[in-house]
Amino acid sequence: MKHLVAATALFATLTAPAFGGEAEIRKAVNDFIGQEAIQSVTRTTYGGLYEVVLETGEMVYTDEQGSFFIDGQLVDLKRRTNITAERQAVLNKVNIGDLPLDQAVKTVRGNGKRTLVTFEDPNCGYCKRFVAEAQQLKDVTIYTFLYPILSPDSAEKSKAIWCSKDRSATWQGWMIDGKLAKAADCSNPIEKNVALGRKLRINGTPTMFLADGSRLGGFMPRAKLEEAIAQAEKNKPAKGK
Protein backbone atom coordinates (compact mmCIF):
# COMPACT_ATOMS: atom_id res chain seq x y z
CA MET A 1 0.00 0.00 0.00
CA LYS A 2 2.01 2.91 -1.31
CA HIS A 3 -0.40 5.63 -0.28
CA LEU A 4 -3.36 5.40 2.03
CA VAL A 5 -5.15 8.32 0.42
CA ALA A 6 -4.79 10.08 -2.91
CA ALA A 7 -1.92 12.54 -3.11
CA THR A 8 -4.33 15.33 -3.91
CA ALA A 9 -6.49 14.65 -0.85
CA LEU A 10 -4.72 15.42 2.40
CA PHE A 11 -7.74 14.65 4.54
CA ALA A 12 -9.87 11.54 4.40
CA THR A 13 -12.81 11.51 6.81
CA LEU A 14 -13.29 8.27 8.73
CA THR A 15 -16.56 7.06 10.13
CA ALA A 16 -15.19 7.02 13.67
CA PRO A 17 -16.87 8.35 16.80
CA ALA A 18 -15.46 11.40 18.56
CA PHE A 19 -12.98 10.01 21.05
CA GLY A 20 -9.31 10.44 21.90
CA GLY A 21 -6.32 8.47 23.16
CA GLU A 22 -3.87 6.00 21.72
CA ALA A 23 -6.12 2.95 22.02
CA GLU A 24 -8.95 4.70 20.21
CA ILE A 25 -6.63 5.99 17.49
CA ARG A 26 -5.28 2.49 16.96
CA LYS A 27 -8.79 1.13 16.63
CA ALA A 28 -9.88 3.83 14.19
CA VAL A 29 -6.83 3.40 11.95
CA ASN A 30 -6.89 -0.40 12.05
CA ASP A 31 -10.61 -0.43 11.28
CA PHE A 32 -10.03 1.88 8.34
CA ILE A 33 -7.18 -0.21 6.93
CA GLY A 34 -8.92 -3.48 7.72
CA GLN A 35 -6.16 -5.13 9.73
CA GLU A 36 -3.69 -4.67 12.57
CA ALA A 37 -1.22 -2.35 10.90
CA ILE A 38 0.23 0.04 13.48
CA GLN A 39 3.74 -0.02 14.87
CA SER A 40 3.48 3.07 17.07
CA VAL A 41 1.34 6.07 17.96
CA THR A 42 3.09 9.19 19.28
CA ARG A 43 1.68 12.58 20.17
CA THR A 44 3.60 15.37 18.44
CA THR A 45 4.36 18.86 19.67
CA TYR A 46 2.81 20.53 16.65
CA GLY A 47 -0.77 21.18 15.62
CA GLY A 48 -2.28 18.73 18.09
CA LEU A 49 -1.37 15.91 15.71
CA TYR A 50 -0.54 12.29 16.43
CA GLU A 51 2.17 10.51 14.46
CA VAL A 52 1.13 7.02 13.39
CA VAL A 53 3.86 4.68 12.12
CA LEU A 54 2.55 1.67 10.22
CA GLU A 55 4.18 -1.76 10.07
CA THR A 56 5.15 -0.98 6.47
CA GLY A 57 7.27 1.93 7.71
CA GLU A 58 4.86 4.52 6.30
CA MET A 59 4.08 7.50 8.50
CA VAL A 60 0.73 9.29 8.62
CA TYR A 61 -0.84 11.77 11.00
CA THR A 62 -4.21 11.98 12.69
CA ASP A 63 -5.97 14.11 15.29
CA GLU A 64 -6.88 13.35 18.89
CA GLN A 65 -10.21 11.88 17.84
CA GLY A 66 -8.73 9.69 15.11
CA SER A 67 -11.13 11.32 12.65
CA PHE A 68 -8.81 11.89 9.65
CA PHE A 69 -5.48 11.03 8.06
CA ILE A 70 -2.84 13.41 6.82
CA ASP A 71 -0.78 11.43 4.34
CA GLY A 72 2.22 13.45 3.19
CA GLN A 73 5.25 15.46 4.26
CA LEU A 74 4.99 17.73 7.27
CA VAL A 75 7.21 20.80 6.94
CA ASP A 76 8.18 23.34 9.60
CA LEU A 77 8.06 26.62 7.68
CA LYS A 78 10.00 28.62 10.27
CA ARG A 79 12.86 26.15 10.47
CA ARG A 80 12.48 25.22 6.79
CA THR A 81 12.78 21.61 7.87
CA ASN A 82 10.97 18.49 6.71
CA ILE A 83 9.73 17.08 10.00
CA THR A 84 8.55 13.83 8.43
CA ALA A 85 11.95 13.18 6.85
CA GLU A 86 13.69 13.92 10.15
CA ARG A 87 11.49 11.45 11.99
CA GLN A 88 11.87 8.79 9.29
CA ALA A 89 15.66 9.09 9.61
CA VAL A 90 15.41 8.50 13.35
CA LEU A 91 13.00 5.58 12.98
CA ASN A 92 15.17 3.95 10.30
CA LYS A 93 18.26 3.92 12.52
CA VAL A 94 19.63 0.64 13.84
CA ASN A 95 22.06 -0.30 16.58
CA ILE A 96 25.02 -1.68 14.64
CA GLY A 97 26.02 -3.71 17.69
CA ASP A 98 22.72 -5.59 17.51
CA LEU A 99 23.22 -6.76 13.92
CA PRO A 100 24.43 -10.36 13.41
CA LEU A 101 27.60 -9.32 11.58
CA ASP A 102 28.80 -12.93 11.47
CA GLN A 103 26.13 -13.44 8.79
CA ALA A 104 27.81 -10.90 6.50
CA VAL A 105 30.74 -11.07 4.08
CA LYS A 106 33.56 -9.12 5.72
CA THR A 107 35.91 -6.95 3.67
CA VAL A 108 38.66 -4.95 5.38
CA ARG A 109 40.39 -2.03 3.70
CA GLY A 110 43.40 -0.35 5.30
CA ASN A 111 43.19 -0.41 9.09
CA GLY A 112 39.45 -1.12 8.92
CA LYS A 113 38.67 1.25 11.80
CA ARG A 114 35.54 2.68 10.18
CA THR A 115 32.35 0.66 9.73
CA LEU A 116 29.93 0.26 6.83
CA VAL A 117 27.14 -2.32 6.72
CA THR A 118 25.39 -3.08 3.43
CA PHE A 119 22.52 -5.23 2.20
CA GLU A 120 23.12 -6.22 -1.42
CA ASP A 121 21.77 -8.54 -4.08
CA PRO A 122 24.30 -10.19 -6.44
CA ASN A 123 22.10 -9.26 -9.43
CA CYS A 124 21.77 -5.60 -8.43
CA GLY A 125 23.31 -3.21 -10.97
CA TYR A 126 23.66 -0.34 -8.51
CA CYS A 127 25.28 -2.73 -6.03
CA LYS A 128 27.90 -3.58 -8.65
CA ARG A 129 28.61 0.11 -9.12
CA PHE A 130 28.90 0.50 -5.37
CA VAL A 131 31.32 -2.43 -4.98
CA ALA A 132 33.54 -0.96 -7.69
CA GLU A 133 33.51 2.46 -6.02
CA ALA A 134 34.03 0.96 -2.56
CA GLN A 135 37.41 -0.42 -3.64
CA GLN A 136 38.71 3.13 -3.22
CA LEU A 137 37.36 3.58 0.31
CA LYS A 138 40.13 3.82 2.90
CA ASP A 139 40.35 2.39 6.41
CA VAL A 140 36.92 0.79 6.46
CA THR A 141 35.44 -2.59 7.30
CA ILE A 142 32.50 -3.42 5.07
CA TYR A 143 29.99 -6.02 6.25
CA THR A 144 27.91 -7.18 3.29
CA PHE A 145 24.69 -9.03 4.02
CA LEU A 146 23.86 -11.11 0.94
CA TYR A 147 20.22 -10.18 0.41
CA PRO A 148 18.74 -11.99 -2.61
CA ILE A 149 15.45 -10.27 -3.43
CA LEU A 150 15.70 -9.23 -7.07
CA SER A 151 15.97 -12.30 -9.32
CA PRO A 152 15.12 -16.01 -9.10
CA ASP A 153 18.78 -17.06 -9.10
CA SER A 154 19.95 -14.40 -6.64
CA ALA A 155 19.73 -16.89 -3.77
CA GLU A 156 21.82 -19.50 -5.60
CA LYS A 157 24.50 -16.94 -6.41
CA SER A 158 24.47 -15.76 -2.80
CA LYS A 159 24.93 -19.32 -1.54
CA ALA A 160 27.81 -19.93 -3.96
CA ILE A 161 29.55 -16.76 -2.76
CA TRP A 162 29.02 -17.59 0.90
CA CYS A 163 30.26 -21.18 0.48
CA SER A 164 33.46 -20.15 -1.32
CA LYS A 165 36.89 -20.28 0.36
CA ASP A 166 37.38 -16.50 0.20
CA ARG A 167 33.95 -14.86 0.44
CA SER A 168 35.18 -11.29 0.09
CA ALA A 169 37.32 -12.03 -3.00
CA THR A 170 34.56 -14.13 -4.57
CA TRP A 171 31.96 -11.42 -3.94
CA GLN A 172 34.12 -8.75 -5.55
CA GLY A 173 35.13 -11.07 -8.38
CA TRP A 174 31.48 -11.52 -9.31
CA MET A 175 30.33 -7.95 -8.75
CA ILE A 176 33.27 -6.30 -10.52
CA ASP A 177 34.60 -8.84 -13.03
CA GLY A 178 31.57 -11.06 -13.54
CA LYS A 179 33.45 -14.17 -12.36
CA LEU A 180 30.72 -16.41 -11.04
CA ALA A 181 31.58 -18.79 -8.22
CA LYS A 182 30.84 -22.48 -8.75
CA ALA A 183 27.47 -23.55 -7.44
CA ALA A 184 27.84 -24.77 -3.88
CA ASP A 185 25.76 -25.64 -0.90
CA CYS A 186 26.79 -25.33 2.73
CA SER A 187 25.42 -24.07 6.00
CA ASN A 188 24.58 -20.46 5.17
CA PRO A 189 22.71 -17.46 6.61
CA ILE A 190 20.90 -16.41 3.42
CA GLU A 191 17.37 -17.09 4.69
CA LYS A 192 18.22 -15.37 7.98
CA ASN A 193 19.52 -12.36 6.05
CA VAL A 194 16.26 -12.11 4.11
CA ALA A 195 14.27 -12.30 7.34
CA LEU A 196 16.49 -9.63 8.90
CA GLY A 197 16.12 -7.36 5.88
CA ARG A 198 12.36 -7.68 5.95
CA LYS A 199 12.35 -6.89 9.67
CA LEU A 200 14.35 -3.74 8.90
CA ARG A 201 11.94 -2.96 6.03
CA ILE A 202 14.67 -3.06 3.39
CA ASN A 203 12.89 -3.05 0.04
CA GLY A 204 15.76 -2.13 -2.27
CA THR A 205 19.48 -2.65 -2.72
CA PRO A 206 21.97 -1.42 -1.92
CA THR A 207 20.85 -0.29 1.52
CA MET A 208 23.62 0.83 3.84
CA PHE A 209 24.00 1.51 7.54
CA LEU A 210 26.74 3.70 8.98
CA ALA A 211 28.56 3.55 12.33
CA ASP A 212 25.97 5.75 14.05
CA GLY A 213 23.16 3.49 12.82
CA SER A 214 21.86 5.89 10.16
CA ARG A 215 20.52 4.41 6.93
CA LEU A 216 21.41 5.26 3.34
CA GLY A 217 19.30 3.96 0.49
CA GLY A 218 20.55 3.44 -3.05
CA PHE A 219 23.84 4.10 -4.80
CA MET A 220 25.90 7.05 -3.58
CA PRO A 221 29.04 8.47 -5.27
CA ARG A 222 32.21 7.73 -3.32
CA ALA A 223 32.88 11.36 -2.35
CA LYS A 224 29.45 11.73 -0.74
CA LEU A 225 29.71 8.30 0.85
CA GLU A 226 33.10 9.19 2.34
CA GLU A 227 31.57 12.34 3.81
CA ALA A 228 28.66 10.39 5.28
CA ILE A 229 30.96 7.73 6.74
CA ALA A 230 33.20 10.35 8.34
CA GLN A 231 30.25 12.17 9.91
CA ALA A 232 28.75 8.94 11.21
CA GLU A 233 32.04 7.96 12.83
CA LYS A 234 31.94 11.25 14.75
CA ASN A 235 28.33 10.65 15.78
CA LYS A 236 28.56 6.99 16.73
CA PRO A 237 27.90 6.13 20.38
CA ALA A 238 30.88 5.56 22.63
CA LYS A 239 31.73 1.95 23.42
CA GLY A 240 29.82 0.58 26.32
CA LYS A 241 26.86 2.90 25.78
Side-chain angles (χ1 to χ4, degrees), residues 40-41 51 58 66 77 82-83 86-87 91 95 103 110-112 125 164 168 182 199 206 220 226:
S40 66
V41 176
E51 169 197 287
E58 293 175 87
L77 297 182
N82 187 320
I83 295 172
E86 281 187 342
R87 283 289 294 147
L91 294 171
N95 185 338
Q103 294 176 198
N111 61 27
S164 64
S168 178
K182 292 182 179 180
K199 181 180 178 181
M220 180 177 289
E226 278 279 10

Short mmCIF file of all heavy atoms in Angstrom, two decimals, residues 40-41 51 58 66 77 82-83 86-87 91 95 103 110-112 125 164 168 182 199 206 220 226:
data_model
loop_
_atom_site.label_atom_id
_atom_site.label_comp_id
_atom_site.label_asym_id
_atom_site.label_seq_id
_atom_site.Cartn_x
_atom_site.Cartn_y
_atom_site.Cartn_z
N SER A 40 3.44 2.16 15.93
CA SER A 40 3.48 3.07 17.07
C SER A 40 2.56 4.26 16.85
O SER A 40 2.27 4.64 15.71
CB SER A 40 4.91 3.57 17.31
OG SER A 40 5.36 4.37 16.24
N VAL A 41 2.12 4.83 17.97
CA VAL A 41 1.34 6.07 17.96
C VAL A 41 2.01 7.03 18.93
O VAL A 41 2.24 6.70 20.09
CB VAL A 41 -0.12 5.83 18.41
CG1 VAL A 41 -0.87 7.16 18.48
CG2 VAL A 41 -0.83 4.88 17.46
N GLU A 51 1.41 11.22 15.48
CA GLU A 51 2.17 10.51 14.46
C GLU A 51 1.84 9.03 14.55
O GLU A 51 1.92 8.43 15.62
CB GLU A 51 3.67 10.73 14.69
CG GLU A 51 4.59 9.85 13.87
CD GLU A 51 5.99 9.84 14.45
OE1 GLU A 51 6.69 10.86 14.31
OE2 GLU A 51 6.37 8.82 15.08
N GLU A 58 5.51 3.26 6.69
CA GLU A 58 4.86 4.52 6.30
C GLU A 58 4.46 5.31 7.54
O GLU A 58 4.15 4.74 8.59
CB GLU A 58 3.62 4.25 5.46
CG GLU A 58 3.90 3.63 4.10
CD GLU A 58 2.61 3.28 3.38
OE1 GLU A 58 2.07 4.18 2.69
OE2 GLU A 58 2.13 2.14 3.52
N GLY A 66 -8.91 10.71 16.13
CA GLY A 66 -8.73 9.69 15.11
C GLY A 66 -9.75 9.83 14.00
O GLY A 66 -10.28 8.85 13.48
N LEU A 77 7.75 25.48 8.55
CA LEU A 77 8.06 26.62 7.68
C LEU A 77 9.09 27.57 8.31
O LEU A 77 9.91 28.15 7.60
CB LEU A 77 6.79 27.39 7.34
CG LEU A 77 5.73 26.61 6.55
CD1 LEU A 77 4.54 27.51 6.24
CD2 LEU A 77 6.31 26.06 5.26
N ASN A 82 11.95 19.53 6.95
CA ASN A 82 10.97 18.49 6.71
C ASN A 82 10.90 17.61 7.95
O ASN A 82 11.78 16.79 8.20
CB ASN A 82 11.38 17.66 5.48
CG ASN A 82 10.31 16.66 5.08
OD1 ASN A 82 9.69 16.03 5.91
ND2 ASN A 82 10.12 16.50 3.78
N ILE A 83 9.88 17.81 8.75
CA ILE A 83 9.73 17.08 10.00
C ILE A 83 9.56 15.59 9.75
O ILE A 83 10.13 14.75 10.46
CB ILE A 83 8.53 17.62 10.80
CG1 ILE A 83 8.80 19.07 11.22
CG2 ILE A 83 8.25 16.75 12.02
CD1 ILE A 83 7.60 19.74 11.85
N GLU A 86 12.87 14.01 8.95
CA GLU A 86 13.69 13.92 10.15
C GLU A 86 13.29 12.72 11.00
O GLU A 86 14.13 11.97 11.50
CB GLU A 86 13.55 15.20 10.99
CG GLU A 86 14.36 16.38 10.48
CD GLU A 86 14.30 17.56 11.45
OE1 GLU A 86 13.39 17.58 12.31
OE2 GLU A 86 15.16 18.45 11.35
N ARG A 87 11.99 12.55 11.18
CA ARG A 87 11.49 11.45 11.99
C ARG A 87 11.76 10.10 11.32
O ARG A 87 12.12 9.11 11.99
CB ARG A 87 10.00 11.61 12.24
CG ARG A 87 9.67 12.64 13.28
CD ARG A 87 10.05 12.15 14.68
NE ARG A 87 9.23 11.01 15.08
CZ ARG A 87 9.65 10.02 15.86
NH1 ARG A 87 10.90 10.01 16.30
NH2 ARG A 87 8.85 9.03 16.19
N LEU A 91 13.66 6.87 12.90
CA LEU A 91 13.00 5.58 12.98
C LEU A 91 13.74 4.50 12.20
O LEU A 91 13.67 3.31 12.52
CB LEU A 91 11.55 5.69 12.48
CG LEU A 91 10.61 6.54 13.34
CD1 LEU A 91 9.29 6.75 12.63
CD2 LEU A 91 10.38 5.89 14.70
N ASN A 95 20.89 -0.18 15.72
CA ASN A 95 22.06 -0.30 16.58
C ASN A 95 22.99 -1.30 15.91
O ASN A 95 22.69 -2.49 15.85
CB ASN A 95 21.65 -0.78 17.97
CG ASN A 95 22.81 -0.81 18.94
OD1 ASN A 95 23.97 -0.87 18.54
ND2 ASN A 95 22.52 -0.78 20.23
N GLN A 103 26.89 -12.98 9.95
CA GLN A 103 26.13 -13.44 8.79
C GLN A 103 26.47 -12.65 7.53
O GLN A 103 25.83 -12.82 6.50
CB GLN A 103 24.62 -13.31 9.06
CG GLN A 103 24.11 -14.22 10.16
CD GLN A 103 22.64 -14.00 10.49
OE1 GLN A 103 22.17 -14.41 11.56
NE2 GLN A 103 21.90 -13.36 9.61
N GLY A 110 42.51 -1.12 4.42
CA GLY A 110 43.40 -0.35 5.30
C GLY A 110 43.34 -0.88 6.72
O GLY A 110 43.33 -2.09 6.95
N ASN A 111 43.24 0.02 7.69
CA ASN A 111 43.19 -0.41 9.09
C ASN A 111 41.78 -0.83 9.52
O ASN A 111 41.60 -1.32 10.64
CB ASN A 111 43.73 0.69 10.01
CG ASN A 111 42.92 1.99 9.93
OD1 ASN A 111 41.74 1.98 9.62
ND2 ASN A 111 43.57 3.11 10.21
N GLY A 112 40.80 -0.63 8.66
CA GLY A 112 39.45 -1.12 8.92
C GLY A 112 38.75 -0.49 10.11
O GLY A 112 37.76 -1.02 10.61
N GLY A 125 22.39 -4.04 -10.20
CA GLY A 125 23.31 -3.21 -10.97
C GLY A 125 23.93 -2.09 -10.15
O GLY A 125 25.13 -1.82 -10.27
N SER A 164 32.12 -20.16 -0.72
CA SER A 164 33.46 -20.15 -1.32
C SER A 164 34.53 -20.02 -0.24
O SER A 164 34.24 -19.65 0.90
CB SER A 164 33.58 -18.99 -2.31
OG SER A 164 33.46 -17.74 -1.64
N SER A 168 34.99 -12.67 0.52
CA SER A 168 35.18 -11.29 0.09
C SER A 168 35.70 -11.23 -1.35
O SER A 168 35.18 -10.48 -2.18
CB SER A 168 36.13 -10.56 1.03
OG SER A 168 36.35 -9.24 0.59
N LYS A 182 31.48 -21.21 -8.46
CA LYS A 182 30.84 -22.48 -8.75
C LYS A 182 29.69 -22.69 -7.77
O LYS A 182 29.78 -22.33 -6.61
CB LYS A 182 31.85 -23.61 -8.62
CG LYS A 182 32.94 -23.60 -9.68
CD LYS A 182 33.88 -24.79 -9.51
CE LYS A 182 34.96 -24.78 -10.59
NZ LYS A 182 35.90 -25.93 -10.43
N LYS A 199 12.61 -7.49 8.36
CA LYS A 199 12.35 -6.89 9.67
C LYS A 199 12.76 -5.42 9.68
O LYS A 199 12.09 -4.57 10.28
CB LYS A 199 13.12 -7.65 10.75
CG LYS A 199 12.91 -7.12 12.15
CD LYS A 199 13.70 -7.93 13.16
CE LYS A 199 13.52 -7.38 14.57
NZ LYS A 199 14.32 -8.15 15.57
N PRO A 206 21.39 -1.21 -3.25
CA PRO A 206 21.97 -1.42 -1.92
C PRO A 206 21.30 -0.55 -0.87
O PRO A 206 20.88 0.57 -1.15
CB PRO A 206 23.43 -0.99 -2.12
CG PRO A 206 23.35 0.09 -3.18
CD PRO A 206 22.26 -0.38 -4.11
N MET A 220 25.40 5.73 -3.92
CA MET A 220 25.90 7.05 -3.58
C MET A 220 27.33 7.19 -4.08
O MET A 220 28.16 6.30 -3.82
CB MET A 220 25.85 7.27 -2.06
CG MET A 220 26.35 8.62 -1.61
SD MET A 220 26.19 8.85 0.20
CE MET A 220 24.40 9.01 0.36
N GLU A 226 31.99 8.93 1.43
CA GLU A 226 33.10 9.19 2.34
C GLU A 226 32.70 10.24 3.37
O GLU A 226 33.00 10.11 4.56
CB GLU A 226 34.32 9.68 1.55
CG GLU A 226 35.15 8.59 0.90
CD GLU A 226 36.10 7.94 1.89
OE1 GLU A 226 36.00 8.20 3.10
OE2 GLU A 226 36.96 7.16 1.44
#
